[in-house]
Amino acid sequence: MEGFALRRWRHCTSKLHKRQICERLHKKVYSIINSEETSHELDDKFKFHSAFSDSRVRDHLAFRNIFSILFHYLPLPFKNHQTQRTNDLINTTTTKHSMSLYHETAAILTAAGPTATHGGSLKSRIFKDKSLKSPPAQVYALALETSKWSAILKEVVEASDLLKHERKLTPVLSLLLVHDLLLSKSGIALPATHGLRVSIERHKARLNSEFVRARIRRKCATLDALRTQVEIEARGGCPVHPRWIRVNTLKSTVEDQLATTFKGWEVAESVAEVIKAADAFDGQGRKGKKVIHIDGHIPNLIAACPGVADFTKTEAYKSGKIILQDKASCFPAYLLDPRPERDGDVMDTCAAPGNKTTHLAAIVHSRVEDNKAVVFDGRTGKKGKKGEERKQKGTTIFAFEKDPHRAKTLQKMVKTAGSDTFTVVNAGKDFLKVNPSDAKYRNVGALLLDPSCSGSGIVGRDDAPTLHLPSAPSSTSSSSTTKANPKGKQNNNKRKSPPTTTATETREQPPAKVLIDDDGVAIPVSSQADLEARIASLASFQLTLLQHAMSFPAAKRITYSTCSIHAGENEHVVLRALASDVAKRRGWRVLKREEQVEGMRRWDVRGEAEAMTLEGVTEGVTEEKEKEEVRDAVIRAYYRDDGRGVMGFFVAGFVRDGTIDDPVYLNGVEQQQEGEEGEEDPEGPFVRDEQGRIVRDENGIPTLKSTGKKAVDLKELEGDEESSVEYRIEGQEEEDEEEPYQRDGKGKIVRDDEGLPVLKEGRSWKVVKGGRGHKEEEVSDESGGASDSDEEEGGEDGDEWGGFDD
């Protein structure tokens, strides 16, 4: 109870006073239910938010508990007078919720509801749909469990001729209702007199007998044995995946969690024992045992038996003390091993939803003594003086996420995990558009890259088993009616049943193949060629991202990871990155196995040998030792029945010691050669002001972004002072402030074919070659420009100015 009732209840010591409070509260509840006011008016009138919503009552179970408390203190006559009315109101509310539950779940399973437009898994489609009247968790549980049992329920419905006798039922509704009748502890969640419930329960005996026959056909002696078989079939033969839980050392420790969240759980010696416990039954007949395993590769990581407990409802999860994160997903941050005294600041380039970002924060925090990082100069690679402290507290973690919606999730997770004090979230900002030479990133020495990928290694993405629908009633009844009524007259007294063949026929068709990436976006894949094209497109983006990370001036360590099992996104991207120009000029190489942190050194699943040969990249590598070194350096994980219990994953580390570097990267700018791959700067090569206009000197010559110098030095055009060139405008007084150039109707300077501005009438260009004491050569505005020899010399250098450009 909330609001005034709760406050008065707490301060009340008299039973009589409590009974009076309940009496008034009871009457107010009835006045609210029977009123026609809007939900907002009700909320303002009566603060009872935990029990009421737009549909008057949010949870009928909580409503029953309220009345059970009220009736304890109400006088007996009042109880007897109001009990029947109370039950009627509760049943009415329950009916509305239950009816919407079955119909909304049926619409989702047949893809006929509003969720048909949503992409992603069954779970994401249900929880993203804000139009559901029923609780999303209840809809998801009913849809998932019915799909698991649909093969058996299909046999039961067809053998009992349920759809033949009950024409009001659709195939999907029959599965949902029969599932709750036979398998749910509370039965069908509808009032006893409701039409749907009556239509199922009148065939209860036949349905139960057919269900027993189906169990015997599968050689299962008990219902528990049948449940185990159904679970295994629903997984498609795949192994059980344990629930991996990372203890957030920013807020807690493993010892604290073992004493609180996992109190009473048995600690196993291996992950295999946790997986085995998932199919076992505890002493109370419930599936799954409370078994956990403390991982030996990743610190502060625990594997728990799945399905035993809902950790999202625990205090530790809500407060950020534990984070649900797959073991393989912990590899990148752990392999990066950021150290403030060596790496300075850290950057997570594709951060949402925030698991890896918060893991980085926990590792960085564990490396810092007294929450103060050692000063690190990204340009010199040297530590600061003893006692010198950075302005910000500890190492800064820069997290980038270009999707604004996903960025909100990232911000929430960072705050919950307690790392928001030293994590800067760049919401809606694309990492590829970040300038590596920006002063605030001068100390970034470690970068974590986990870009978008095909998501082919993610466990549980296709979480909905295939739905087997019972066949619609045959047309035998209609044909027999035709024979009995040769005139073909229809019986208008009978109510026509809704057509059911469409849903069945549509569902029985083989589903189209789709590729769901790690962002939950479904992409149709009709052939192997489509899949290869999609992988190639992703690999191109991933390589661009990796090369961009390699161009940060102070960067010394990078981890690149995907949740994919395709070599095109994994080993091939690594090989292309190592062969790229930026890697060679800066001295980037793969992080060897013997250089990796201890837990990763002991992980024995490595790169694929057949992926080490890549056309156009590895032909120059004659030493097999070099290929083997790269293969042994990269790390893989597979979703297999091998006792590891992880999802499909790939991660590789890159390092450089700084002894080899191109000076242009030390200046924070990568030199772009003509014809080099990569996107051009949409603003051009010249410096612009706040209005987007090119900044020019008094001679109209712009400044290059890459060098900070003038595009053309007129005094040194010929190579020495004796042959310098100077452009002058004849016919204009020195004190004349009027602009000498002609402009068009839009206010832009008119230029000739050579790019020189066209002068106003009475003015002309004069070129002085060789400096003072040399003959002046006058050049008119029609033919003004550089000579052919000047153009040839200027064309040899990609940074030379090629004419004016607005």
Side-chain angles (χ1 to χ4, degrees):
M1 291 186 295
E2 294 182 8
F4 74 94
L6 180 57
R7 291 193 297 271
R8 295 185 64 181
W9 184 273
R10 287 176 176 173
H11 297 288
C12 180
T13 57
S14 170
K15 288 188 176 180
L16 178 62
H17 193 189
K18 286 186 176 180
R19 187 171 61 186
Q20 292 173 350
I21 293 174
C22 286
E23 207 169 300
R24 289 194 295 270
L25 183 61
H26 194 274
K27 292 179 181 179
K28 190 169 287 286
V29 169
Y30 277 114
S31 66
I32 289 174
I33 294 177
N34 293 323
S35 69
E36 298 297 331
E37 298 173 276
T38 65
S39 59
H40 299 290
E41 292 172 340
L42 295 177
D43 285 342
D44 294 337
K45 184 176 180 180
F46 185 65
K47 304 293 184 182
F48 213 71
H49 302 293
S50 63
F52 291 94
S53 67
D54 291 344
S55 57
R56 298 287 184 250
V57 181
R58 180 176 298 169
D59 190 343
H60 67 276
L61 295 177
F63 198 43
R64 289 180 183 274
N65 293 336
I66 292 170
F67 274 98
S68 65
I69 295 173
L70 294 175
F71 287 169
H72 179 72
Y73 292 96
L74 289 176
L76 185 61
F78 190 78
K79 290 183 185 180
N80 296 336
H81 182 264
Q82 300 291 349
T83 298
Q84 185 60 43
R85 176 59 178 160
T86 300
N87 291 334
D88 292 342
L89 288 170
I90 293 174
N91 289 335
T92 302
T93 304
T94 305
T95 302
K96 292 180 180 179
H97 280 282
S98 301
M99 287 181 64
S100 62
L101 169 66
Y102 290 107
H103 286 290
E104 286 175 344
T105 307
I108 289 170
L109 289 177
T110 55
T115 55
T117 58
H118 294 300
S121 62
L122 174 68
K123 187 173 184 178
S124 64
R125 287 189 289 119
I126 291 176
F127 281 87
K128 286 180 181 178
D129 187 3
K130 304 302 181 183
S131 64
L132 292 177
K133 297 179 181 178
S134 304
Q138 195 173 358
V139 173
Y140 175 68
L142 178 59
L144 182 61
E145 290 300 316
T146 302
S147 298
K148 289 180 181 178
W149 288 86
S150 61
I152 297 176
L153 298 177
K154 176 178 181 292
E155 297 178 12
V156 172
V157 171
E158 290 178 346
S160 62
D161 291 332
L162 179 64
L163 294 177
K164 180 179 179 181
H165 297 293
E166 304 294 340
R167 296 299 183 121
K168 294 181 180 180
L169 295 176
T170 63
V172 182
L173 269 178
S174 66
L175 289 182
L176 297 172
L177 293 167
V178 172
H179 171 271
D180 278 5
L181 175 70
L182 301 176
L183 298 168
S184 177
K185 293 181 179 180
S186 57
I188 300 176
L190 288 171
T193 58
H194 192 274
L196 288 178
R197 180 170 176 175
V198 171
S199 64
I200 296 295
E201 289 188 342
R202 68 163 60 105
H203 305 281
K204 184 175 181 179
R206 180 68 184 275
L207 291 171
N208 275 316
S209 64
E210 293 298 339
F211 184 67
V212 172
R213 290 190 180 96
R215 175 172 59 80
I216 295 174
R217 282 195 298 270
R218 286 163 174 77
K219 299 179 181 181
C220 295
T222 63
L223 180 59
D224 288 337
L226 183 61
R227 288 182 187 274
T228 303
Q229 187 181 111
V230 168
E231 290 290 339
I232 295 174
E233 291 177 356
R235 295 197 300 264
C238 296
V240 176
H241 193 69
R243 169 61 81 181
W244 291 99
I245 301 165
R246 178 172 60 83
V247 178
N248 181 17
T249 54
L250 290 169
K251 289 192 171 183
S252 184
T253 63
V254 174
E255 291 74 16
D256 291 341
Q257 292 307 308
L258 291 177
T260 54
T261 306
F262 300 100
K263 186 178 181 179
W265 288 62
E266 176 186 349
V267 180
E269 295 294 328
S270 65
V271 180
E273 295 182 40
V274 176
I275 295 174
K276 185 178 180 181
D279 290 327
F281 291 90
D282 60 9
Q284 300 179 356
R286 293 175 299 189
K287 188 178 179 181
K289 294 182 178 180
K290 290 187 174 182
V291 179
I292 60 173
H293 168 70
I294 301 175
D295 190 65
H297 295 97
I298 307 294
N300 307 307
L301 189 65
I302 297 174
C305 181
V308 177
D310 187 357
F311 293 102
T312 60
K313 296 181 180 179
T314 62
E315 183 275 335
Y317 175 82
K318 294 177 181 179
S319 61
K321 295 177 181 178
I322 62 173
I323 295 174
L324 306 183
Q325 183 176 1
D326 192 271
K327 177 178 178 177
S329 179
C330 297
F331 287 178
Y334 183 51
L335 180 65
L336 186 63
D337 189 28
R339 297 176 182 270
E341 72 279 4
R342 179 192 64 194
D343 304 318
D345 293 334
V346 186
M347 186 176 288
D348 189 353
T349 61
C350 308
N355 287 337
K356 300 177 183 66
T357 308
T358 54
H359 192 194
L360 280 173
I363 295 174
V364 168
H365 183 266
S366 67
R367 307 292 190 196
V368 179
E369 295 181 1
D370 300 328
N371 285 342
K372 293 179 181 178
V374 179
V375 177
F376 177 84
D377 192 331
R379 292 191 178 273
T380 62
K382 298 179 180 179
K383 304 175 186 177
K385 297 180 180 179
K386 186 176 181 180
E388 184 181 359
E389 297 177 4
R390 298 179 58 175
K391 292 182 180 180
Q392 63 264 35
K393 188 178 181 181
T395 295
T396 300
I397 298 176
F398 298 99
F400 291 87
E401 178 52 52
K402 66 179 182 179
D403 188 320
H405 178 73
R406 287 167 58 85
K408 292 181 181 178
T409 304
L410 171 63
Q411 290 172 325
K412 181 179 179 181
M413 189 167 188
V414 167
K415 185 176 181 180
T416 303
S419 62
D420 53 328
T421 56
F422 57 98
T423 301
V424 178
V425 177
N426 294 273
K429 192 169 184 179
D430 189 352
F431 169 69
L432 284 177
K433 296 181 180 179
V434 175
N435 184 5
S437 62
D438 195 321
K440 60 184 172 183
Y441 306 128
R442 67 189 297 262
N443 291 323
V444 173
L447 295 94
L448 187 149
L449 279 72
D450 187 62
S452 298
C453 65
S454 62
S456 53
I458 297 179
V459 177
R461 174 52 53 84
D462 299 324
D463 54 355
T466 303
L467 182 66
H468 303 274
L469 290 177
S471 58
S474 60
S475 58
T476 54
S477 58
S478 60
S479 60
S480 60
T481 304
T482 304
K483 292 180 181 179
N485 190 3
K487 295 183 180 181
K489 295 182 179 179
Q490 295 181 355
N491 188 355
N492 295 327
N493 295 329
K494 292 185 178 181
R495 185 177 179 179
K496 295 181 181 180
S497 60
T500 57
T501 55
T502 303
T504 306
E505 292 172 358
T506 304
R507 194 63 179 179
E508 292 299 329
Q509 292 178 355
K513 294 182 179 180
V514 294
L515 180 67
I516 303 178
D517 63 17
D518 58 339
D519 294 329
V521 179
I523 300 172
V525 177
S526 58
S527 64
Q528 182 65 24
D530 289 346
L531 176 62
E532 292 176 357
R534 173 62 178 165
I535 298 302
S537 175
L538 287 168
S540 176
F541 164 74
Q542 293 155 357
L543 179 61
T544 302
L545 195 79
L546 184 52
Q547 290 175 327
H548 186 62
M550 287 179 170
S551 66
F552 277 72
K556 296 292 181 64
R557 298 175 72 88
I558 296 174
T559 56
Y560 167 77
S561 60
T562 70
C563 48
S564 171
I565 60 175
H566 301 296
E569 300 176 85
N570 300 331
E571 288 91 348
H572 292 178
V573 173
V574 171
L575 292 173
R576 286 191 173 97
L578 292 173
S580 66
D581 183 61
V582 58
K584 291 178 179 179
R585 286 193 285 172
R586 303 209 68 198
W588 285 103
R589 61 176 178 82
V590 72
L591 178 64
K592 300 177 183 178
R593 183 171 183 173
E594 58 267 22
E595 299 171 332
Q596 297 171 3
V597 289
E598 181 184 358
M600 292 292 89
R601 285 201 305 268
R602 290 188 282 104
W603 184 262
D604 56 352
V605 185
R606 297 286 155 167
E608 296 179 348
E610 56 271 18
M612 289 296 107
T613 301
L614 183 61
E615 184 179 356
V617 177
T618 57
E619 285 81 355
V621 182
T622 57
E623 294 287 342
E624 289 295 327
K625 183 180 179 181
E626 296 181 31
K627 295 181 180 180
E628 179 60 25
E629 187 178 82
V630 175
R631 188 203 67 80
D632 195 46
V634 301
I635 298 169
R636 269 188 174 270
Y638 295 97
Y639 181 42
R640 294 174 178 170
D641 192 7
D642 55 3
R644 292 184 175 88
V646 296
M647 68 178 186
F649 206 81
F650 175 88
V651 61
F654 298 87
V655 293
R656 71 183 188 93
D657 55 15
T659 57
I660 303 174
D661 208 342
D662 193 314
V664 75
Y665 289 99
L666 294 178
N667 294 330
V669 181
E670 181 178 0
Q671 194 174 28
Q672 296 289 341
Q673 300 294 337
E674 185 177 356
E676 182 176 299
E677 294 182 358
E679 296 182 359
E680 296 182 357
D681 189 344
E683 295 185 354
F686 306 124
V687 177
R688 293 178 179 266
D689 59 15
E690 296 179 354
Q691 286 75 31
R693 296 175 297 188
I694 295 176
V695 178
R696 306 177 187 276
D697 62 6
E698 63 277 5
N699 292 320
I701 300 176
T703 303
L704 288 171
K705 290 181 180 178
S706 58
T707 62
K709 299 179 180 179
K710 301 300 179 182
V712 174
D713 191 342
L714 299 180
K715 295 183 179 180
E716 299 178 359
L717 189 60
E718 296 295 333
D720 54 36
E721 186 178 358
E722 294 298 326
S723 59
S724 61
V725 176
E726 182 180 356
Y727 280 82
R728 295 178 183 174
I729 301 176
E730 190 178 50
Q732 182 180 18
E733 300 295 335
E734 293 183 0
E735 297 180 357
D736 188 2
E737 297 181 355
E738 184 182 355
E739 187 181 37
Y741 310 125
Q742 295 184 17
R743 292 184 177 270
D744 58 15
K746 297 182 179 179
K748 294 184 178 181
I749 296 175
V750 179
R751 304 181 185 279
D752 59 15
D753 296 337
E754 300 295 336
L756 285 174
V758 178
L759 299 176
K760 293 181 179 179
E761 186 177 358
R763 295 177 175 86
S764 63
W765 287 108
K766 178 176 289 187
V767 180
V768 180
K769 294 186 178 180
R772 293 183 179 180
H774 286 69
K775 183 180 178 180
E776 296 183 357
E777 178 183 350
E778 182 177 335
V779 183
S780 66
D781 61 343
E782 297 180 356
S783 60
S787 65
D788 294 339
S789 61
D790 293 337
E791 292 176 357
E792 291 175 1
E793 292 180 9
E796 294 177 0
D797 191 347
D799 281 339
E800 289 296 327
W801 179 55
F804 291 93
D805 183 14
D806 275 333

